[in-house]
Amino acid sequence: MYKIMTPGPTQVKEHVRQARARVCTNPDLDETFVEYYKETCELISRLLHTSNETLILGGEGILGLEAACASLTEPGDRVLVLDNGVFGKGFVDFVSMYGGVPRLYTVDGRNPIDPVAFAAFLEKDHDYKYATLVHCDTPSGILNDISALCPLLDQYGIVTVVDSVSSMFGEEIRVDESKIDILCGGSQKAVSAPPGLTFVTLSDRAKKVMAQRKTPIAAFYANLRIFEGYYENKWFPYTMPISDIYGLRAALDEIAEDSEMLARHAQIGSACRKALTDAGLHLHLESGFSNTVTVFEVPEKTTAKEILQMMREEHEILLAGSLGTLNGQVIRIGHMGANANFQDMAQTMGALDSVLSKLGITLTLSLEKRFCELCEKC
């Protein structure tokens, strides 16, 4: 059995797995489940500090991103795509497939988007229906300041769509204060439930824009409007994945009770980065580090494939490579959700000590020992 230390999917705790084994009712007909669903959605909203409605959709996190674009985009709409990473740029595909005209705002992928420079850009060019941006772009680990960027877009009445799949509950998010219209999350990252669910928060402004469309939404499953009136009518647009939602609720209940969750992510993220650099390894980013994933460059004389294979085969620990131009160039350690615990991180760092040594990489100190010193937990 592998220890999953990837940046999603993450480890799933036993009580979450057991919650998914609850006796199933018929979610289409049993009104008690409609209440349960609504209560779970309201819990997500509270945890994200918003009065906006949340919807849980039956599909992996990508569904939420596509549904946001499908529901907002009409042919010819200008859409601003903030791009400093693989998933940031990836919004171009969703915008284009529904007839929108994407305009990329592309910046250095080793640093977060600068709010001052972005504000200057918007002063000259702000005729957009909506904008997309990624909070944590997982392939590089970059963290963008949505609390600064989204209010800038709000000043011009631009609806905001934020991908927070990899940051939600590992980084602080205050939806209402940050003026976020649509926020998208997923079950398999810091929530630490199995893959299969996405959830979105919807502002009144986003709902109004969808309602005032001149053309029908060119999707059914990716249409956020099909949930309108579900609670009043006690009727879902499609059969909800009840067992997955039971598991999600168990994971969310634990998050609600964990007052140290964000602080723990911050401590582990900082200690991981410092241990790697103190040992002589190089982080991929220059700034803007997320506390949910650490990305370091593959040392010379070895390859990402060798490191990942030895970690898997000799230590039964799964780490991740990356995507796009970073494929084969970096290694990613996922310390989000259930992965963000001191024991598993110390074991992971110790395994990296062993693997890198066997591959002929000389470190200036022990990763495990340095990590434990920095955390004072091991």
Side-chain angles (χ1 to χ4, degrees):
M1 181 68 69
Y2 294 120
K3 185 178 297 298
I4 305 172
M5 298 300 291
T6 58
T10 56
Q11 300 178 45
V12 178
K13 293 185 177 180
E14 179 63 20
H15 76 282
V16 175
R17 293 195 295 269
Q18 289 298 322
R20 298 177 74 248
R22 288 179 53 181
V23 174
C24 291
T25 184
N26 184 330
D28 292 327
L29 300 175
D30 188 340
E31 293 187 5
T32 61
F33 179 75
V34 180
E35 297 292 340
Y36 184 88
Y37 174 92
K38 186 171 185 289
E39 289 170 2
T40 305
C41 290
E42 290 172 344
L43 173 58
I44 295 172
S45 292
R46 288 197 301 275
L47 291 172
L48 295 172
H49 307 284
T50 182
S51 59
N52 293 343
E53 181 181 22
T54 293
L55 297 174
I56 301 169
L57 312 182
E60 189 269 343
I62 292 294
L63 172 60
L65 309 181
E66 180 175 346
C69 294
S71 301
L72 289 172
T73 310
E74 294 191 79
D77 284 342
R78 293 187 79 221
V79 179
L80 182 61
V81 177
L82 279 67
D83 162 35
N84 64 334
V86 173
F87 292 135
K89 189 173 187 177
F91 269 109
V92 165
D93 294 333
F94 294 136
V95 172
S96 300
M97 72 173 64
Y98 290 103
V101 181
R103 198 288 195 195
L104 280 166
Y105 178 80
T106 302
V107 296
D108 172 22
R110 290 179 184 261
N111 294 283
I113 296 168
D114 177 11
V116 175
F118 185 56
F121 165 82
L122 287 175
E123 285 182 7
K124 300 176 182 179
D125 187 4
H126 51 257
D127 183 20
Y128 299 99
K129 184 175 187 179
Y130 70 94
T132 66
L133 60 157
V134 177
H135 193 194
C136 170
D137 208 291
T138 334
S140 67
I142 195 79
L143 186 75
N144 290 310
D145 187 356
I146 56 177
S147 68
L149 296 171
C150 290
L152 293 173
L153 292 159
D154 178 68
Q155 290 177 15
Y156 297 98
I158 302 171
V159 173
T160 49
V161 175
V162 175
D163 171 0
S164 67
V165 173
S166 299
S167 55
M168 188 181 290
F169 305 123
E171 297 282 352
E172 185 172 37
I173 300 175
R174 293 182 173 271
V175 171
D176 289 351
E177 290 181 16
S178 299
K179 307 295 185 183
I180 300 170
D181 290 296
I182 300 181
L183 183 78
C184 303
S187 58
Q188 77 273 28
K189 301 283 187 175
V191 176
S192 292
L197 295 176
T198 186
F199 28 91
V200 297
T201 67
L202 294 167
S203 72
D204 289 341
R205 176 166 62 179
K207 292 179 181 180
K208 183 177 180 180
V209 169
M210 293 175 197
Q212 292 179 341
R213 292 175 58 108
K214 297 180 177 64
T215 59
I217 295 173
F220 177 81
Y221 209 65
N223 179 350
L224 294 173
R225 293 201 68 195
I226 61 174
F227 279 84
E228 291 179 1
Y230 85 87
Y231 181 69
E232 293 78 7
N233 298 321
K234 303 296 187 288
W235 187 258
F236 293 107
Y238 50 80
T239 300
M240 301 307 295
I242 183 171
S243 296
D244 290 341
I245 292 173
Y246 285 153
L248 175 66
R249 176 62 172 272
L252 291 170
D253 284 341
E254 179 168 348
I255 290 171
E257 296 171 0
D258 187 355
S259 61
E260 300 299 319
M261 187 167 186
L262 294 179
R264 186 170 63 255
H265 276 79
Q267 184 178 17
I268 286 176
S270 175
C272 180
R273 295 189 296 269
K274 186 84 165 72
L276 290 169
T277 54
D278 285 355
L281 296 170
H282 301 284
L283 300 178
H284 170 67
L285 297 177
E286 296 174 353
S287 64
F289 304 100
S290 171
N291 288 322
T292 60
V293 55
T294 292
V295 183
F296 68 92
E297 296 178 351
V298 175
E300 295 181 5
K301 302 179 183 179
T302 189
T303 65
K305 182 178 180 180
E306 288 179 314
I307 295 172
L308 296 174
Q309 182 174 342
M310 289 182 68
M311 288 291 290
R312 181 177 66 249
E313 295 181 355
E314 297 187 11
H315 299 275
E316 297 186 326
I317 295 175
L318 295 183
L319 299 183
S322 194
L323 309 172
T325 58
L326 294 181
N327 183 30
Q329 306 302 307
V330 299
I331 298 295
R332 295 185 294 159
I333 304 171
H335 37 76
M336 58 177 70
N339 291 13
N341 70 81
F342 300 101
Q343 181 179 354
D344 286 344
M345 277 298 297
Q347 182 180 344
T348 299
M349 301 300 263
L352 268 174
D353 278 327
S354 174
V355 165
L356 293 176
S357 176
K358 288 185 178 182
L359 290 171
I361 308 302
T362 301
L363 300 177
T364 59
L365 50 77
S366 163
L367 291 169
E368 180 181 13
K369 182 178 179 181
R370 184 62 177 137
F371 174 82
C372 290
E373 289 173 348
L374 291 164
C375 291
E376 297 181 348
K377 292 282 185 179
C378 308

